[in-house]
Every structure is written in C-alpha cells, then in structure tokens.
Amino acid sequence: MIRTVAHNDWVIYSVIGVVLCYIIMFRTLHRDISLYDFLLQPFEDVNNTHLSWAITTILYCTSFSVLFSQYVPIVPKFIEENLSFWGISFNKFGFMFFTLLLFYLAKNLITYFFFASVENTKNYNHYALSAQKYYLVYSLILLGLSVLHYYLPLNTRLFFKIYLIAVALAFLLKILYYLFNNQEILPKQWYYKFLYICSLQILPVLVVWKFCFI
C-alpha cells in the first residue's frame, strides 16, 4: 500500500494571504489604526464601514473554510459535475468558501431589508460595524487554530467535537453581543429582536450546516 503524505502548504498560504489583506485594509481604509484601537473605536470615527465589512466577510469565509472544509463529507455531485471553471471543479474548500460567501451575501441583504421594514435603517450602519468587529476577531482566532490543527498531531475527530462546542459558544456570544451592544444596533422592541435572532441568525445557520455537513 502506498501512503500519501498530506501537504498543508496551502494552509500557510491562506493564513498569510488573509493576514496581509487585513494589514492592507487597516493601512488604507482605516488610516493605519491598530487592531486594538479599531475594536474600541466609536462609530463616529470609523471610515469605510461597509467596504471594510465586505472585505472582512470574505476573509472570514476564507478562514472558516480553511479549518472546517476538511470535515465536509463530499462535494454535492450536481455541483461537482455542473460547476467548473476552465476545467477546474470545486474541491471541499472551494465548495465551502463559495457556499459561505453566497450565504452571507444573501443574509446581509435580507438583514438590510429587515432594518428597512422596521424603519431602523440608521442603526444598520452600527450593525455593520459591530458585525465587522466580531467577525474580524473570529477569523483571526480561526487562523490560529488552523495552523495548530494542520501542523500538530491532533485527533481530528475529537477536535471536531471541541470545535462544534466552541462554534456554538461563539454563536451565543454573538447573539449576546448584538442584544446588549451599547450602540443599540437592534430594534428596541423585543419582539423584533427575537424575530431577527430566529429568522436571520438561527434558521439560516441550520440550513447552511445541513447543506455542508449532512
């Protein structure tokens, strides 16, 4: 039997690429501010909120896909056969990355319509900044975990269970962060808050989870 050695150079390339993109984003869009100062920066002093949020979303999708794409059972056959570019078909990383990218694009558009429907579009900008800060920190943590995961002799099945618990806790932290944010990014009425959490947080995540992993 021939044993194939796994080459994980692509992980390092991905991590370096994401970090460089963040550095360029902070030097250009945020006037060379440090990460710590950005996390504490009030909305009034932030520049290019929506553009940097879009970049952060793409980089977060990359970071999440680097760590979790290995756990995707298979690439759906209809995607593998019908979606290819210049003869290159989707692997597990590409499948998960584009799934997350489309998911967050649709989710953010629906979120905007949600804020518009409750006549609270002003707070949508505060929401964008808060979401960007959360996902930026989240993606950096995922990058660190990816390096440890791929270059240390870890039990991948055991750590998958640990990752699931960590993701669930991070999701709960995000909900609490949105609910009790000092900028009051969600509508003041509690029934609107629960509507947002159920319809735009919990339900979409369950759908994407079923699509990628089940």
Side-chain angles (χ1 to χ4, degrees):
M1 296 180 66
I2 299 175
R3 184 175 182 179
T4 304
V5 179
H7 295 282
N8 297 322
D9 294 342
W10 67 277
V11 177
I12 292 298
Y13 297 150
S14 300
V15 170
I16 294 175
V18 171
V19 172
L20 285 177
C21 288
Y22 275 132
I23 292 174
I24 294 172
M25 184 181 75
F26 272 86
R27 290 184 65 87
T28 56
L29 299 182
H30 296 297
R31 300 179 181 178
D32 207 13
I33 193 174
S34 67
L35 174 62
Y36 177 78
D37 291 335
F38 172 73
L39 295 177
L40 298 179
Q41 194 175 32
F43 175 79
E44 293 74 16
D45 299 333
V46 178
N47 301 300
N48 304 302
T49 301
H50 293 283
L51 178 57
S52 60
W53 183 26
I55 296 173
T56 301
T57 300
I58 296 173
L59 298 179
Y60 165 76
C61 292
T62 304
S63 304
F64 196 93
S65 299
V66 169
L67 182 60
F68 286 97
S69 60
Q70 61 180 316
Y71 295 113
V72 174
I74 58 171
V75 177
K77 190 174 182 179
F78 71 92
I79 292 180
E80 191 174 6
E81 293 180 348
N82 300 319
L83 294 179
S84 62
F85 303 93
W86 301 287
I88 302 175
S89 58
F90 282 102
N91 58 10
K92 292 182 180 181
F93 171 83
F95 165 65
M96 188 167 195
F97 172 75
F98 282 102
T99 298
L100 290 176
L101 204 59
L102 292 174
F103 164 71
Y104 281 105
L105 174 62
K107 181 173 176 289
N108 292 336
L109 287 174
I110 296 173
T111 300
Y112 174 79
F113 290 131
F114 170 80
F115 277 88
S117 66
V118 297
E119 299 180 353
N120 200 17
T121 53
K122 179 183 290 187
N123 281 6
Y124 180 76
N125 294 325
H126 295 280
Y127 167 83
L129 177 60
S130 300
Q132 180 191 354
K133 291 179 178 180
Y134 172 83
Y135 284 108
L136 193 154
V137 174
Y138 199 171
S139 67
L140 293 177
I141 294 174
L142 290 173
L143 291 179
L145 289 175
S146 297
V147 174
L148 295 176
H149 183 89
Y150 284 98
Y151 289 93
L152 291 180
L154 303 177
N155 186 329
T156 56
R157 291 189 177 183
L158 173 62
F159 271 82
F160 181 58
K161 298 177 182 179
I162 297 175
Y163 293 150
L164 290 182
I165 297 173
V167 168
L169 291 176
F171 181 77
L172 178 61
L173 178 63
K174 180 180 70 171
I175 299 300
L176 295 176
Y177 175 58
Y178 286 174
L179 284 175
F180 302 105
N181 192 287
N182 56 7
Q183 295 289 342
E184 295 184 353
I185 59 177
L186 296 181
K188 293 183 179 181
Q189 298 86 347
W190 276 96
Y191 52 87
Y192 283 138
K193 292 181 180 180
F194 283 115
L195 176 63
Y196 169 79
I197 292 171
C198 294
S199 60
L200 293 176
Q201 290 293 336
I202 298 176
L203 183 59
V205 168
L206 293 177
V207 171
V208 171
W209 177 265
K210 180 176 178 61
F211 183 66
C212 288
F213 295 103
I214 300 177

